[in-house]
């Protein structure tokens, strides 16, 4: 779990040029009991803060703290509009709890007269839920969420196909290869804006190039012993960027990316 001391030290180092902080990476941020205190600290330094949640922790006390923290954007993952479809992907999840949490937050935000956090409803489109898109949009409009984001699904071993690939290939990262196999829809190019736009810090302070490095295979440095600036300008990072510009196909984390 990310420690507050390491967090504040890093924020103090980066506050002069850090504009957007997305407090989320492969986990549920509200499980950290100091999470909203960290949001409050970053917000006090003039940094735009956002996060992503499954919304199972948006209860009355929590909602009040969210509003107080200064959080600017809350992305809620809701990949189904009925319980049976929702739990196919969000195993063990409770759709009613999610919807009640969203409703409570929007209601309390309106009462407070605050414009933030913006509530973004995120729908990961699969072959199991794509038929629910019209109903999702009607529900989101009724609830008056600020935005609906439709996302394609990343699938490991996609070459052999999957029930998660939507029938409407407009919502898929993959297309038939013509031989019973599947391939990426977009051709991989030797470029990526993310390498100069930002980086990802893991819970224990490792810096990795982007959110596709889910298992921290490409560690550029460690905040426990190095400053963020020294990592950003390090030879290791520069070599990684050069490899990406030369032959991106050799980087494992890029092989299932559509950027």
């Amino acid at each position: 779990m990310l420690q507050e001391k390491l967090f504040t030290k890093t924020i103090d180092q980066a506050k002069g040029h850090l504009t957007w902080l997305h407090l989320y990476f492969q986990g549920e941020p509200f499980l950290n009991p100091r999470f909203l205190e960290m949001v409050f600290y970053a917000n006090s330094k003039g940094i735009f803060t956002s996060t992503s949640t499954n919304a199972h922790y948006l209860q009355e006390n929590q909602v009040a703290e969210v509003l107080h923290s200064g959080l600017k954007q809350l992305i809620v993952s809701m990949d189904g509009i009925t319980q049976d479809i929702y739990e196919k992907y969000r195993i063990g999840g409770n759709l009613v709890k999610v919807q009640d949490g969203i409703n409570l937050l929007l209601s309390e935000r309106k009462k407070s007269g605050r414009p933030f956090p913006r509530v973004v409803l995120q729908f990961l489109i699969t072959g199991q839920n794509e038929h629910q898109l019209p109903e999702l949009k009607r529900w989101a409009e009724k609830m008056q969420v600020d935005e609906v984001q439709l996302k394609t699904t990343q699938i490991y071993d996609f070459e052999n196909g999957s029930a998660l690939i939507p029938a409407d290939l407009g919502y898929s990262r993959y297309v038939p290869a013509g031989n019973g196999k599947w391939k990426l829809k977009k051709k991989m190019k030797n470029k990526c804006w993310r390498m100069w736009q930002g980086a990802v810090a893991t819970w224990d302070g490792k810096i990795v190039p982007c959110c596709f490095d889910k298992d921290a295979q490409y560690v550029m440095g460690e905040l426990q012993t190095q400053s963020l600036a020294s990592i950003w300008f390090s030879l290791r990072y520069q070599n990684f960027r050069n490899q990406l510009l030369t032959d991106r196909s050799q980087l494992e984390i890029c092989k299932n990316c559509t950027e």
Side-chain angles (χ1 to χ4, degrees):
M1 189 173 290
L2 179 61
Q3 298 301 305
E4 193 172 9
K5 185 176 180 180
L6 177 62
F7 175 81
T8 55
K9 182 183 78 170
T10 305
I11 292 298
D12 288 343
Q13 290 176 4
K15 62 185 179 183
H17 54 266
L18 179 60
T19 57
W20 186 302
L21 179 65
H22 187 56
L23 286 155
Y24 166 80
F25 182 54
Q26 303 304 309
E28 172 51 52
F30 283 92
L31 288 175
N32 188 327
R34 309 297 293 273
F35 168 65
L36 290 172
E37 293 177 35
M38 288 188 266
V39 172
F40 184 87
Y41 188 80
N43 182 67
S44 73
K45 303 300 179 181
I47 300 167
F48 185 99
T49 53
S50 68
T51 194
S52 182
T53 178
N54 60 35
H56 281 69
Y57 299 89
L58 290 180
Q59 299 167 359
E60 191 170 348
N61 290 341
Q62 201 83 46
V63 164
E65 292 177 15
V66 168
L67 294 171
H68 175 71
S69 72
L71 183 71
K72 295 298 188 293
Q73 179 171 271
L74 184 74
I75 300 171
V76 178
S77 298
M78 200 179 88
D79 310 310
I81 198 66
T82 57
Q83 178 64 30
D84 61 325
I85 298 298
Y86 173 78
E87 65 185 6
K88 284 180 181 292
Y89 191 83
R90 301 286 168 182
I91 298 172
N94 185 319
L95 181 61
V96 171
K97 184 178 286 189
V98 173
Q99 293 176 330
D100 287 348
I102 295 172
N103 184 39
L104 179 61
L105 176 58
L106 289 170
S107 176
E108 292 301 310
R109 188 187 71 177
K110 185 175 182 179
K111 288 179 186 176
S112 72
R114 302 182 187 188
F116 300 112
R118 294 182 70 255
V119 176
V120 178
L121 194 64
Q122 183 173 280
F123 193 82
L124 199 62
I125 304 174
T126 71
Q128 299 168 335
N129 67 15
E130 60 183 317
H131 65 285
Q132 293 194 328
L133 279 172
E135 189 178 352
L136 170 83
K137 292 175 181 178
R138 287 192 294 270
W139 186 87
E141 185 176 2
K142 178 182 175 182
M143 295 297 295
Q144 295 184 313
V145 300
D146 299 292
E147 183 181 345
V148 174
Q149 287 183 353
L150 305 179
K151 288 195 68 176
T152 58
T153 305
Q154 179 186 6
I155 300 170
Y156 296 106
D157 301 322
F158 61 84
E159 291 88 353
N160 294 315
S162 168
L164 293 176
I165 298 178
D168 185 342
L169 296 181
Y171 295 124
S172 172
R173 299 183 186 187
Y174 316 100
V175 293
N179 56 357
K181 298 289 186 177
W182 292 74
K183 64 180 180 179
L184 279 172
K185 180 188 293 184
K186 294 183 180 179
K187 183 179 179 181
M188 188 184 300
K189 298 180 180 179
N190 293 326
K191 62 179 182 177
C192 182
W193 60 273
R194 287 183 180 274
M195 293 305 101
W196 289 266
Q197 176 262 355
V200 171
T202 64
W203 68 272
D204 55 352
K206 294 182 177 68
I207 293 295
V208 297
C210 78
C211 61
F212 269 81
D213 193 1
K214 294 177 172 61
D215 297 318
Q217 292 178 289
Y218 299 89
V219 178
M220 299 293 109
E222 303 204 22
L223 295 172
Q224 297 279 9
T225 57
Q226 301 167 269
S227 69
L228 182 58
S230 67
I231 297 171
W232 184 258
F233 293 107
S234 67
L235 180 61
R236 181 183 297 182
Y237 222 141
Q238 298 297 350
N239 287 341
F240 183 87
R241 294 184 181 106
N242 287 335
Q243 173 64 56
L244 185 145
L245 293 174
T246 304
D247 187 1
R248 187 177 167 208
S249 67
Q250 297 304 305
L251 297 172
E252 191 64 33
I253 60 173
C254 294
K255 291 181 180 179
N256 201 351
C257 176
T258 56
E259 289 291 353

